[in-house]
Amino acid sequence: MPHDLNHLDAALAAYPRVTLLEGPTPIQKLTRLSQLPELNGCNVYVKRDDLTGLGGGGNKLRKLEFLLGQALAENADTLVTWGGFQSNHARLTAAVAARHGLACELILTPSAVRTDNDFCHNGNVLLDDLFGASVHRLARGVTADAYAAELVTKLRELGKKPFVMPLGGSSPRGALGYAACAAEILHQADALDLRFERIIVPNGSAGTHSGLLAGMTLARSATQITGYSVLADEQQALATTLEKTRQTLHLLDPAAALVESAINVDGSHRGDAYGAPTEAMLEAVRLLASKEGLLTDPVYGGKAFAGLLAAIRRGEFPQGSNLLFVMTGGLPGLFAYRSAFV
């Protein structure tokens, strides 16, 4: 079935958007890694969304293009969001605010599994401060969204115009960024004369997975997407992804239908909790670095890449399969997880 990229492009054009990327991110083949006997003749490619530039790069910038478009359309002067201490979304929201002359309020919550000095003060936390954000560190047990609601009320009383960025940028409006990425991937695959049998992504707040699937659905692409859950357990992640994909697809075309069986979520590499290191993640990060000189983060990409490697090693993909792994960035997180790698 031919792609219907015109339909997708026209649907995306209906929403305000601020360009934050330098252009399409490259698709590169992992040539040395693909030659390993354990990869059973599969061709592994990466979509380099770690190379998005602003603020240290990462997938959240695609979501922020549409969220910032909405914020500026509403004449906002302050961006408010929340996440964990090592939130990539918080870091990039701060960078985007700095680029556009907006104030930024970040609400950061402690981790249930890591309390070491590197985690609490290095990586993304260091960069939040450099970008000039006002950082609110919550005590354990304080609810971030309730704190955010109170903060927004105070800002409005001061005459500010706050705009709340959703957790991970992963509202249906934010997920439009990855519907746009779906179109970008299809254009690039056509130019490379490639057909990807599977696209693999980490699934945290589900916006990246949902946006890609909504975009592929509207473009009538047969490419399957697998998301490796790193935040919620498999069933909860599946339910969230299904609902968010439906909502995003509705924004694009209220008449479009989603086939529920297209949602593919694998929770086998989450580990004990969100952000908890796993042996498979450590091995995957080291393998990608040592064979290809590429760095992926320990919370999202490392676990999803570990899942991809395990699936290939189990023989789930026929020899010659073209597999595309979306590198979502989050590199500063490596420095927050130094003790896990030593």
Side-chain angles (χ1 to χ4, degrees):
M1 181 184 295
H3 305 319
D4 189 2
L5 289 170
N6 290 336
H7 188 188
L8 177 54
D9 290 339
L12 290 164
Y15 294 92
R17 180 181 184 181
V18 177
T19 300
L20 298 174
L21 277 64
E22 307 295 325
T25 61
I27 289 176
Q28 300 168 343
K29 184 175 181 181
L30 301 182
T31 303
R32 292 193 67 233
L33 191 141
S34 296
Q35 291 172 348
L36 294 176
E38 65 197 79
L39 265 64
N40 301 321
C42 290
N43 301 307
V44 181
Y45 294 79
V46 287
K47 174 69 171 163
R48 298 292 307 278
D49 272 13
D50 57 320
L51 297 180
T52 46
L54 179 64
N59 65 324
K60 306 300 183 182
L61 284 177
R62 290 192 185 271
K63 303 172 186 180
L64 286 166
E65 288 196 331
F66 286 89
L67 292 169
L68 182 63
Q70 183 180 2
L72 295 182
E74 296 177 9
N75 297 312
D77 59 17
T78 305
L79 304 182
V80 179
T81 199
W82 64 91
F85 276 7
Q86 289 299 327
S87 168
N88 298 301
H89 167 66
R91 181 242 312 168
L92 287 171
T93 299
V96 165
R99 168 68 63 87
H100 288 271
L102 305 174
C104 184
E105 303 279 344
L106 300 181
I107 301 163
L108 302 183
T109 58
S111 168
V113 296
R114 299 194 69 82
T115 58
D116 57 281
N117 189 63
D118 283 332
F119 184 88
C120 293
H121 299 287
N122 206 337
N124 285 304
V125 177
L126 170 63
L127 298 182
D128 294 339
D129 177 67
L130 292 180
F131 292 134
S134 296
V135 177
H136 308 253
R137 288 181 178 238
L138 300 190
R140 197 174 305 281
V142 178
T143 305
D145 53 356
Y147 186 96
E150 293 178 5
L151 178 59
V152 165
T153 298
K154 292 177 182 177
L155 290 169
R156 286 177 177 152
E157 289 172 351
L158 293 171
K160 302 293 185 181
K161 296 179 179 178
F163 180 89
V164 178
M165 297 286 190
L167 177 69
S170 292
S171 65
R173 182 69 71 99
L176 291 175
Y178 267 88
C181 184
E184 185 174 300
I185 289 171
L186 291 173
H187 281 297
Q188 290 176 305
D190 286 345
L192 293 168
D193 195 24
L194 281 174
R195 179 186 176 275
F196 292 111
E197 282 77 23
R198 189 72 57 94
I199 297 175
I200 297 91
V201 297
N203 184 314
S205 49
T208 299
H209 189 165
S210 298
L212 277 173
L213 184 54
M216 291 294 180
T217 299
L218 201 64
R220 297 191 299 172
S221 170
T223 299
Q224 298 182 51
I225 299 167
T226 294
Y228 283 91
S229 178
V230 301
L231 177 59
D233 64 46
E234 185 173 302
Q235 289 305 309
Q236 184 181 346
L238 182 67
T240 300
T241 305
L242 174 60
E243 180 62 20
K244 200 160 290 184
T245 304
R246 284 176 171 161
Q247 293 171 344
T248 306
L249 193 58
H250 184 79
L251 288 181
L252 293 167
D253 183 350
L258 175 69
V259 178
E260 188 170 333
S261 61
I263 306 290
N264 187 353
V265 174
D266 187 319
S268 62
H269 284 266
R270 173 178 175 267
D272 294 334
Y274 172 69
T278 65
E279 289 300 319
M281 176 277 291
L282 296 171
E283 188 261 342
V285 171
R286 288 188 181 278
L287 183 66
L288 187 58
S290 63
K291 295 298 181 184
E292 297 287 349
L294 296 180
L295 299 172
T296 191
D297 79 293
V299 178
Y300 295 90
K303 290 184 176 181
F305 197 68
L308 171 60
L309 290 173
I312 294 173
R313 288 164 175 164
R314 286 194 303 267
E316 290 188 11
F317 302 106
Q319 185 175 4
S321 294
N322 295 320
L323 310 171
L324 180 65
F325 178 73
V326 181
M327 290 188 65
T328 53
L331 174 59
L334 277 174
F335 302 101
Y337 277 74
R338 179 185 64 87
S339 61
F341 286 90
V342 296

